[in-house]
Amino acid sequence: MSNDTVDNAPVYDRKMLEALVCPHTQGTLRYDAERQELVSPGAKLAYPIRNGIPVMLVDEARRLEE
């Protein structure tokens, strides 16, 4: 069993995640482990994490429902 995953989801450095901000609003992000996304409530966008790498592009983000 690897120390890098929990329930098949990668474990991220909390300080690294806290340092990231939404490229659209510069606001804080919330990590959604289940969906492997970084959520920006202010922009109503969810940025995907692919292969352990956050994709911080507005064009790649999923729009959140109201």
Side-chain angles (χ1 to χ4, degrees):
M1 182 171 171
S2 170
N3 290 334
D4 294 342
T5 60
V6 174
D7 297 329
N8 296 325
V11 176
Y12 296 100
D13 180 353
R14 187 165 199 78
K15 290 192 183 288
M16 186 271 302
L17 290 177
E18 289 173 357
L20 293 174
V21 297
C22 174
H24 184 66
T25 66
Q26 303 304 304
T28 59
L29 299 166
R30 179 182 50 83
Y31 174 54
D32 183 338
E34 184 177 319
R35 291 190 135 182
Q36 288 298 292
E37 296 177 325
L38 294 173
V39 178
S40 172
K44 295 188 177 18
L45 295 172
Y47 298 94
I49 299 173
R50 296 186 184 131
N51 298 319
I53 301 170
V55 180
M56 303 305 294
L57 301 170
V58 173
D59 291 344
E60 294 288 321
R62 178 176 65 85
R63 299 217 179 272
L64 301 176
E65 301 295 323
E66 293 295 328

